[in-house]
Amino acid sequence: MESKLKKSHLRVLEGGGHKPEQNYRFISAYVTDTRLMGVVVLYIHWRADLAEASDFHQFFYYDAEEYGLETYKSLVGNDEAEIDLLEQTLIGGLGGTKQSVNEREARHLVKYFHEASALLHAPPAEPVSEYQFMLDQPVKLTDREQRLLTGKICAPIPGDYPLIHYFLMRCYAHDPVAANYLAINDDLCSRIAPAQAATLYRNSIDEFDDPKTGSSYLCEALIEQDSRYSIEVLDIRIEAGLIADAQRRSSFRISPAEAAMQLNRPEYITVYDILAEPDQFDEAFLPLTRNAMLTVHDNGRLFLEFQNTNEHVNHKVFRLNDDIMGLYYITDYGQLLLTSYSLAEIQMMEHSLLRLPLRQYLVPGSKYEFKEPVLYEFIQSDFEDFADFLDTLQRS
């Protein structure tokens, strides 16, 4: 089972090494509406009022749980392809939408990211000198401006299920700022938050109506703390679109094997043999995964393609990795493995390959359906061929 994705796995470009001066004027900015998922990306575009005008683009990647302002990147000029590549690298896996912000809002967010990093004891992203001018001239938003900005960084919540999932996600992550945004009272998060921050891997919801209290829900949450897994049973009550009450009924430890059983789901894998040289193949393949997250392993490279939205949070049963649409694993020995947890999505991935010039470099092999995931086990093995790996797996 894949652990929670770390932001340090992102592929990023080097910054532009440019320091804006007082004669830079604000052009535009946007922020992603993904605060309730724990991550926000802010983009700001400046222009120099000089004889030779130059444009300056800044990207801020903020993780509210652990890393604070973890990533800062900048670009000088208006190379649209380069700007688009950096943008997709940073926001491609967030599943949110871009919300326009004005200069006051953008400056306030930069200051907030910087201060929140200090509270998390996380070093700020370098070079600080490139955005120091915003820290030196902080913006104080009015209450109305703050409410409007909060509405931009937090996506609309379409029902009770996502409200509960987001609330529990933020509580377990020790993120009371976001959790309190979803609750009537600020003490509800501290009431159920564990002593140590945890990751919510799964949450199932059962609804029952109480004539006196309104909509009430029984939740069974699977959480992980330092590779130790627990099941927590909670009562949640909702009023007027907010969490009105939250009580923990019980909590008990389970083994990693039991946790894996709760998270198991079918896995579909299609295998191709690669005919081209590595450089030739990469030139044709990499455009397919421009929005994917790359992790490098001992025997290959894994690309994770995410869903375009965070609609998986809207379901009755939430799983953390349901935001993954599919995976592409390129072995160092000339195989490409397409993997998905949905039959419809693995078929979409196959059709995408057929529409590209890439198909001339691939020889289709076998297709598999497994009752539980096996891809990561293959990645961590020393096998060069997937079929040989399966033969050994079946004999064991």
Side-chain angles (χ1 to χ4, degrees):
M1 178 180 65
E2 175 72 348
S3 62
K4 182 185 178 185
L5 296 174
K6 297 299 183 184
K7 314 308 180 292
S8 56
H9 291 161
L10 287 167
R11 293 181 294 167
V12 295
L13 302 177
E14 293 303 320
H18 192 70
K19 180 181 178 181
E21 304 296 344
Q22 295 297 326
N23 53 10
Y24 270 76
R25 60 186 175 91
F26 177 83
I27 300 300
S28 64
Y30 70 74
V31 67
T32 59
D33 61 353
T34 51
R35 178 62 182 86
L36 296 178
M37 295 298 293
V39 174
V40 169
V41 171
L42 170 68
Y43 161 79
I44 311 177
H45 178 192
W46 307 90
R47 181 169 298 152
D49 289 327
L50 301 172
E52 295 182 3
S54 62
D55 289 79
F56 183 58
H57 306 266
Q58 296 177 300
F59 291 86
F60 302 83
Y61 188 103
Y62 172 69
D63 172 12
E65 297 182 21
E66 297 180 75
Y67 303 102
L69 183 53
E70 183 201 6
T71 299
Y72 166 77
K73 295 296 169 184
S74 62
L75 295 168
V76 177
N78 281 320
D79 186 325
E80 293 185 4
E82 192 175 8
I83 294 170
D84 183 60
L85 177 60
L86 182 52
E87 175 184 271
Q88 291 304 319
T89 299
L90 292 174
I91 76 172
L94 298 185
T97 60
K98 298 184 291 186
Q99 302 293 323
S100 177
V101 292
N102 59 37
E103 183 176 0
R104 284 175 55 80
E105 293 169 326
R107 285 175 174 267
H108 170 80
L109 284 172
V110 172
K111 181 71 171 178
Y112 174 78
F113 294 164
H114 184 76
E115 293 177 345
S117 297
L119 293 176
L120 291 169
H121 305 290
E126 296 290 347
V128 178
S129 60
E130 290 197 0
Y131 54 90
Q132 184 66 49
F133 71 103
M134 285 184 278
L135 305 179
D136 292 339
Q137 299 177 354
V139 171
K140 176 70 173 177
L141 297 184
T142 65
D143 290 344
R144 180 178 181 276
E145 287 177 316
Q146 184 63 67
R147 287 195 299 272
L148 290 173
L149 179 57
T150 300
K152 292 181 180 180
I153 64 176
C154 298
I157 300 176
D160 289 355
Y161 291 163
L163 175 67
I164 293 171
H165 295 319
Y166 278 128
F167 177 72
L168 293 181
M169 214 186 303
R170 297 298 94 221
C171 289
Y172 287 125
H174 282 196
D175 184 8
V177 173
N180 293 341
Y181 170 72
L182 304 173
I184 290 178
N185 298 317
D186 289 352
D187 67 332
L188 294 180
C189 179
S190 59
R191 186 184 298 174
I192 65 171
Q196 180 182 355
T199 299
L200 177 66
Y201 270 98
R202 185 183 186 275
N203 183 52
S204 61
I205 301 174
D206 286 318
E207 181 177 3
F208 57 93
D209 291 323
D210 188 319
K212 295 181 180 179
T213 61
S215 297
S216 297
Y217 300 88
L218 180 68
C219 299
E220 185 177 287
L222 170 62
I223 64 173
E224 179 265 330
Q225 299 167 293
D226 288 336
S227 300
R228 294 174 298 178
Y229 295 90
S230 300
I231 295 289
E232 299 211 335
V233 180
L234 309 104
D235 285 323
I236 303 289
R237 184 166 57 83
I238 293 175
E239 291 181 7
L242 292 172
I243 303 295
D245 192 27
Q247 302 283 346
R248 181 186 292 108
R249 276 193 180 187
S250 62
S251 178
F252 54 91
R253 288 275 182 85
I254 63 173
S255 68
E258 291 172 315
M261 289 180 62
Q262 287 226 5
L263 296 171
N264 273 350
R265 52 186 174 167
E267 184 177 71
Y268 300 88
I269 296 180
T270 302
V271 181
Y272 297 86
D273 289 322
I274 301 172
L275 299 179
E277 294 296 322
D279 290 344
Q280 187 182 33
F281 176 80
D282 283 352
E283 184 178 355
F285 173 76
L286 292 181
L288 180 66
T289 57
R290 61 192 304 268
N291 297 334
M293 179 180 291
L294 167 67
T295 56
V296 179
H297 299 267
D298 290 341
N299 298 316
R301 293 169 294 161
L302 180 66
F303 295 85
L304 281 74
E305 188 79 27
F306 292 92
Q307 304 284 1
N308 294 326
T309 70
N310 288 315
E311 289 186 1
H312 65 294
V313 184
N314 301 343
H315 300 156
K316 184 175 182 179
V317 177
F318 164 80
R319 292 182 180 86
L320 180 63
N321 59 2
D322 273 352
D323 62 343
I324 297 176
M325 189 276 289
L327 305 93
Y328 302 84
Y329 183 60
I330 304 172
T331 74
D332 293 338
Y333 309 102
Q335 284 190 327
L336 169 64
L337 276 66
L338 271 57
T339 305
S340 184
Y341 305 117
S342 159
L343 179 59
E345 287 170 350
I346 194 70
Q347 291 173 342
M348 288 175 57
M349 295 170 71
E350 294 169 354
H351 292 157
S352 295
L353 289 182
L354 294 176
R355 292 196 301 267
L356 296 173
L358 177 67
R359 65 182 182 274
Q360 65 184 308
Y361 304 132
L362 299 173
V363 177
S366 301
K367 298 183 179 183
Y368 303 91
E369 177 183 350
F370 301 98
K371 293 183 179 180
E372 58 188 38
V374 301
L375 176 66
Y376 282 101
E377 192 171 347
F378 171 64
I379 291 174
Q380 294 165 6
S381 73
D382 292 325
F383 283 90
E384 300 178 5
D385 183 84
F386 187 67
D388 292 341
F389 163 76
L390 291 182
D391 287 341
T392 303
L393 195 66
Q394 292 169 355
R395 291 197 299 267
S396 63

